[in-house]
Amino acid sequence: MLTTHPFDDDHLHEECGIFGVSQTEGAAALVALGLHALQHRGQEAAGITTFDGAMFHTHRAMGHVAGNFDRDDVIRSLPGQVACGHVRYSTTGETALRNVQPLYAELSSGGFAIAHNGNLSNAMKLRRELVRRGSIFQSTSDTETIIHLVATSSYRTLLDRFIDALKQIEGAYALIVMTPEGMIACRDPLGIRPLVMGKLDDAVIFASESVALDVVGAEFVREVEPGELVIVQGSETRSVHPFAPLSPRPCIFEWVYFSRPDSIVDDQSIYSVRKNIGAQLAIEAPVEADLVIPVPDSGVPAAIGYAQESGLPFELGIIRSHYVGRTFIQPGDKVRHLGVKLKHNANRALIKGKRVVLIDDSIVRGTTSLKIVQMMREAGAAEVHMRIASPPTRHSCFYGVDTPERAKLLAAKHDLGGMTDFIHADSLAFVSIDGLYKALGETHRADIRPKYCDACFTGDYPTSLTDHDDTTAVDQFALLAERVN
């Protein structure tokens, strides 16, 4: 099956996007619009849950928001003034309807719906303990662990039980929770995953990105702070900070790739930061060439910055068709290759005989970069130089990003020369880690307490990795036993 964008197959993928609204008529329709704006954050499945003051209503489906939530009968089946929604790209749990969020359960305090962006790095350990104590799980999602922790907490109030659950989990999370008492939105103490707050008349809105507020006509109020819980009950909003304060470490890849260019994150324009990265890349890795060409669509802002800084012409050397459906054909290898050209084709008349600089946001396995370089050569390019608007991705992410195991990351297996040979480019260069921080307004990456989570580049993980460490220990023990036997 052809994916929507073949060049995206070898990118890192954010796990999901969340959107919630409290105290507005037609809440489900508003959430559907917000999820449309967040579709880039998760394209496998979508779901919406509403509360009408007496009952919870949920509709979940595989596929995009369009086609599932643009029907009047679906929206009519989701009454209520409070609603939350989720778009999913799975990193934990298989792709199945039972894992599509929001997840819902009936607790002793009433209904409990939860939408989660992120990944819990100790979910497997907690799940084993909960099952041992009698919990029965209905999904393979790490998010369900939170529900069981709330259900089994010995604290009296629902808020205290929820805080008790949060204090037991590790990793990254931005959460929107719905209960009969109201809505709760929160971020993990390091703020690894994003969450913003807005207002639309009397309605309070939460979203993974500010662009979702723009789409529904809401006013941006502020970011939910790392470690903060915002509680909305009727017309009242209050905030609690139950965790010890930590130096925030938001995911740096939000600026490199995940967020839409028209979003604002941490008071910075994503589009402007990506242009800055491209300009820094031109300073660090200049090359004699004729054209700067972005890899569509994520490489465009960085390519503009590279072209402006280097003085080289910016041109659309790869043309993307927006009109090829997701399931155009079930191809064999030969037809699959042709299908890629259906969606992305070289602008041959522009490229022939030229020395081109290709700008992309990242290299993961390297297979996409190989295809793009090959496309340029087939179009007659005299030289093909690749420039990447992030440092080499050498480490896996455990915080809600779909990263291949480390052995499959090109930069973990090869040095720069080996990577250049693998993709068949004339030259290859990445922006440095200090250059990336400079593009974000920092002088450099501090060795102690860096401002962002950049573990995929540096291996500097800001939290414990309980499940990974336990699995590694088991694997090492099995390997040792095998050698002994």
Side-chain angles (χ1 to χ4, degrees):
M1 182 186 297
L2 295 181
T3 59
T4 305
H5 310 309
F7 288 175
D8 287 347
D9 287 347
D10 194 29
H11 282 92
L12 299 180
H13 293 274
E14 238 283 6
E15 181 180 356
C16 53
I18 57 177
F19 189 97
V21 58
S22 183
Q23 300 307 308
T24 187
E25 294 296 332
L30 201 65
V31 170
L33 286 173
L35 293 182
H36 270 288
L38 299 173
Q39 186 73 84
H40 59 288
R41 299 185 75 92
Q43 299 175 35
E44 287 185 353
I48 295 176
T49 297
T50 63
F51 180 62
D52 64 6
M55 295 181 60
F56 286 82
H57 309 269
T58 296
H59 183 81
R60 301 181 297 165
M62 307 304 297
H64 290 186
V65 178
N68 285 311
F69 291 96
D70 55 1
R71 293 162 33 203
D72 288 341
D73 60 322
V74 171
I75 298 301
R76 283 197 302 269
S77 73
L78 297 167
Q81 294 188 333
V82 184
C84 69
H86 187 276
V87 287
R88 181 172 193 263
Y89 186 96
S90 63
T91 62
T92 61
E94 82 274 24
T95 301
L97 192 59
R98 65 176 177 161
N99 288 329
V100 179
Q101 297 185 30
L103 298 182
Y104 176 78
E106 286 284 348
L107 307 184
S108 59
S109 56
F112 186 94
I114 183 169
H116 173 203
N117 174 22
N119 199 66
L120 308 184
S121 56
N122 66 335
M124 289 171 56
K125 179 180 180 181
L126 290 171
R127 184 185 182 108
R128 287 194 298 268
E129 294 171 355
L130 287 161
V131 169
R132 198 158 37 238
R133 299 205 308 258
S135 292
I136 301 173
F137 280 73
Q138 301 298 314
S139 76
T140 58
S141 169
D142 62 333
T143 309
E144 191 180 353
T145 305
I146 299 172
I147 296 175
H148 289 275
L149 290 173
V150 174
T152 57
S153 173
S154 59
Y155 282 84
R156 186 176 63 82
T157 69
L158 179 60
L159 179 60
D160 286 339
R161 290 161 68 185
F162 182 54
I163 292 171
D164 180 39
L166 296 182
K167 288 185 175 181
Q168 297 178 64
I169 61 178
E170 300 170 358
Y173 55 85
L175 302 172
I176 297 175
V177 169
M178 290 169 50
T179 76
E181 298 176 18
M183 176 173 283
I184 306 171
C186 65
R187 290 174 75 189
D188 63 79
L190 291 170
I192 299 174
R193 299 263 70 86
L195 192 64
V196 299
M197 179 177 175
K199 288 276 287 184
L200 181 62
D201 300 325
D202 294 329
V204 179
I205 297 177
F206 301 100
S208 292
E209 291 183 39
S210 64
V211 67
L213 302 179
D214 298 338
V215 166
V216 302
E219 173 192 357
F220 173 83
V221 175
R222 62 178 177 88
E223 294 192 5
V224 176
E225 297 174 7
E228 179 187 19
L229 279 71
V230 181
I231 301 124
V232 184
Q233 294 175 301
S235 59
E236 295 184 2
T237 301
R238 62 190 176 97
S239 172
V240 297
H241 292 78
F243 303 100
L246 299 172
S247 297
R249 294 282 298 275
C251 173
I252 203 167
F253 229 89
E254 290 290 342
W255 286 269
V256 173
Y257 177 69
F258 295 145
S259 293
R260 261 180 49 164
D262 45 344
S263 279
I264 305 293
V265 178
D266 196 21
D267 295 325
Q268 296 194 80
S269 159
I270 294 294
Y271 179 80
S272 296
V273 169
R274 289 178 187 168
K275 281 182 63 179
N276 292 344
I277 297 172
Q280 186 65 34
L281 186 56
I283 293 170
E284 295 182 357
V287 62
E288 291 188 7
D290 302 304
L291 301 174
V292 176
I293 294 173
V295 175
D297 288 319
S298 58
V300 172
I304 293 172
Y306 191 101
Q308 290 177 348
E309 180 65 33
S310 65
L312 296 174
F314 170 92
E315 297 286 357
L316 296 179
I318 302 172
I319 305 302
R320 175 185 156 198
S321 170
H322 294 260
Y323 304 104
V324 180
R326 183 175 177 85
T327 56
F328 170 73
I329 200 169
Q330 298 287 338
D333 289 341
K334 182 177 180 180
V335 181
R336 185 188 305 274
H337 179 68
L338 296 177
V340 170
K341 291 189 173 183
L342 261 179
K343 296 191 175 186
H344 294 87
N345 192 41
N347 192 346
R348 187 176 297 270
L350 180 73
I351 292 167
K352 188 174 182 180
K354 298 294 198 312
R355 300 168 298 174
V356 302
V357 184
L358 291 167
I359 309 293
D360 205 354
D361 62 89
S362 60
I363 291 182
V364 182
R365 297 177 182 87
T367 52
T368 292
S369 300
L370 176 62
K371 291 177 188 176
I372 299 168
V373 171
Q374 181 182 358
M375 179 185 289
M376 294 295 100
R377 298 213 186 276
E378 290 175 353
E383 297 176 11
V384 183
H385 303 274
M386 199 93 183
R387 296 293 181 267
I388 306 300
S390 64
T393 304
R394 294 195 171 99
H395 304 272
S396 298
C397 177
F398 301 96
Y399 302 124
V401 178
D402 183 38
T403 316
E405 59 189 63
R406 192 173 181 218
K408 294 181 180 179
L409 294 171
L410 188 68
K413 297 186 295 182
H414 299 284
D415 60 12
L416 185 62
M419 288 189 281
T420 307
D421 291 341
F422 181 88
I423 67 172
H424 296 170
D426 290 286
S427 73
L428 170 66
F430 298 80
V431 74
S432 67
I433 188 68
D434 279 347
L436 181 56
Y437 272 74
K438 287 178 183 177
L440 282 155
E442 304 293 312
T443 56
H444 64 284
R445 183 192 189 272
D447 294 329
I448 301 174
R449 293 184 180 175
K451 188 174 178 180
Y452 302 97
C453 177
D454 52 23
C456 54
F457 307 133
T458 65
D460 178 11
Y461 295 98
T463 75
S464 300
L465 302 176
T466 299
D467 290 340
H468 174 263
D469 294 342
D470 287 351
T471 302
T472 302
V474 169
D475 290 345
Q476 289 174 344
F477 179 81
L479 181 62
L480 178 62
E482 183 179 327
R483 288 173 177 171
V484 170
N485 294 330

